[in-house]
Amino acid sequence: MTTGRHTATELDPSLDDYQLASALVREAGQLALLMRMGGLQGERKTSVSDVVTAADHAAEAYVLDQLRRCRPDDGILGEEGTSVAGTSDRTWVIDPVDGTYNFLHGSTYWCSAIALKRDDSIHGGTSVADPDVLLGAIYQPELDKLWLGGEGRPATLNGESITGFGDLPVSQISAATYIHPTWLADPRAAMPWHAAAVSAASLRMFGSGSCDLGRVADGELGCWFQHSCPEWDWLPGKAIVRAAGGDTAVVQVNGLNWFVAGGPTAVLELSAALASVPQFA
C-alpha cells in the first residue's frame, strides 16, 4: 500500500488478532514517524493543543485498509473519522497517533494504539463508557516499545512478560494524569481532579494516555486517571493494564466520566478521592 510518498506493508490475513494488532500499530507508527521527518503542519481541532496532521490521517487510512482486507466482518472506529459497521460482534478501535501535540513538536512521547472490543449491542450489560475489550496494542516508535495484552494473553513489552505489578496505596506511587487547562476553571472537573491529584506521591503529565497506560502496566508509572476519554484513548491501555494484573474503573462525578487504572488498591483510592467532592445538581 502506498500512502503519499511512503509504502507500508500489506499484512497477511492469516495473522491471529494479537499478531495483526502488533503489526498494525508498528506499521502505523513507523509511517507517521517517516512523514514527520519529511515535514508536517498541524491543523487545530478543538484547541491549540488538540491538533491533527496528515500523518494521523495517513496512518488511520493504512490501518483501515488493512483491517478491511484482513478482518472484513469486523467493525472499525477511528479517532480521525473512520466508522465502519461490521457484521461480527467485534470492533477495532484505532488511535493512529496518540499525543499528536507531542508528535508535532518533536517529542518522543507519542504512540500508535489499537484495541479490539466486543460490541455492546451484542453483549449486553457492559457500560457504554467502558465496554468489554478483548486486546490492546500500543507502539511508541521512537523508543521502539510495543506493549501488548488482552483477555487471552498476559501483557508483554517487546515480547517479554510484564511482571511485578505493584499494589501500593496512591500515597506511595506516582500518578499520571491529564487535564486541559480550561477544565481547571470548571469546578465540575477541577475539584475531583484536585482531590485525586493531592492523594498521590507525585504527579506526571506527559500528554499521551496510551503511553502512560503502557507504563502503568509495566510498573514505570504507578497509576493513572483522566476524565472524558474517548474509546481510542482508553481501551488499548485498559486491555494491557488488566492483562498485566492491574485494575481499571470508570467513575462518574458531576456528569463527567473519570477513567482510572493501576493496582487494585490505587484504583479504589483514586475512585474514592474523585467521588469525595461535592456533587453539582
Side-chain angles (χ1 to χ4, degrees):
M1 174 187 176
T2 301
T3 307
R5 299 189 305 275
H6 309 296
T7 301
T9 303
E10 296 284 344
L11 300 180
D12 184 349
S14 69
L15 295 172
D16 69 30
D17 289 336
Y18 288 95
Q19 292 169 329
L20 180 61
S22 298
L24 286 169
V25 292
R26 189 178 290 278
E27 289 288 330
Q30 293 291 351
L31 172 61
L33 181 58
L34 285 169
M35 291 184 70
R36 189 182 72 178
M37 292 168 64
L40 288 171
Q41 296 293 319
E43 178 183 336
R44 180 169 172 164
K45 292 166 76 173
T46 62
S47 71
V48 69
S49 62
D50 182 17
V51 292
V52 65
T53 71
D56 297 72
H57 291 297
E60 183 160 306
Y62 166 77
V63 176
L64 171 63
D65 181 72
Q66 298 306 306
L67 285 173
R68 295 188 78 170
R69 288 179 54 255
C70 296
R71 297 294 188 272
D73 296 332
D74 291 348
I76 310 168
L77 177 66
E79 180 180 12
E80 306 310 332
T82 294
S83 182
V84 175
T87 57
S88 70
D89 63 351
R90 313 181 333 156
T91 295
W92 296 85
V93 181
I94 309 165
D95 196 347
V97 178
D98 179 48
T100 302
Y101 187 82
N102 291 349
F103 168 77
L104 186 60
H105 289 82
S107 169
T108 65
Y109 206 83
W110 62 275
C111 64
S112 292
I114 195 167
L116 178 60
K117 69 168 185 171
R118 291 192 183 94
D119 288 339
D120 296 332
S121 60
I122 304 296
H123 293 272
T126 59
S127 165
V128 172
D130 197 19
D132 285 341
V133 60
L134 299 170
L135 66 83
I138 298 167
Y139 181 59
Q140 192 173 348
E142 292 181 85
L143 298 184
D144 193 30
K145 288 191 171 189
L146 196 153
W147 294 270
L148 182 68
E151 283 190 352
R153 179 166 175 163
T156 58
L157 171 57
N158 292 345
E160 299 293 329
S161 295
I162 298 172
T163 58
F165 200 104
D167 188 25
L168 296 172
V170 179
S171 62
Q172 296 182 28
I173 57 177
S174 63
T177 185
Y178 179 77
I179 187 168
H180 193 275
T182 56
W183 279 105
L184 291 174
D186 186 333
R188 292 178 304 153
M191 291 176 68
W193 183 85
H194 181 268
V198 298
S199 69
S202 62
L203 290 179
R204 302 288 185 266
M205 191 180 298
F206 298 121
S208 168
S210 287
C211 286
D212 290 346
L213 286 163
R215 285 167 169 78
V216 171
D218 68 31
E220 184 176 332
L221 294 171
C223 58
W224 179 90
F225 66 98
Q226 185 176 326
H227 76 81
S228 306
C229 292
E231 290 185 342
W232 45 78
D233 284 341
W234 170 237
L235 294 182
K238 173 190 173 182
I240 296 166
V241 167
R242 296 188 71 87
D247 201 2
T248 62
V250 178
V251 182
Q252 188 172 87
V253 183
N254 293 324
L256 298 174
N257 286 318
W258 290 86
F259 298 79
V260 183
T265 298
V267 168
L268 283 173
E269 291 181 350
L270 284 172
S271 298
L274 289 162
S276 68
V277 302
Q279 302 294 298
F280 293 85

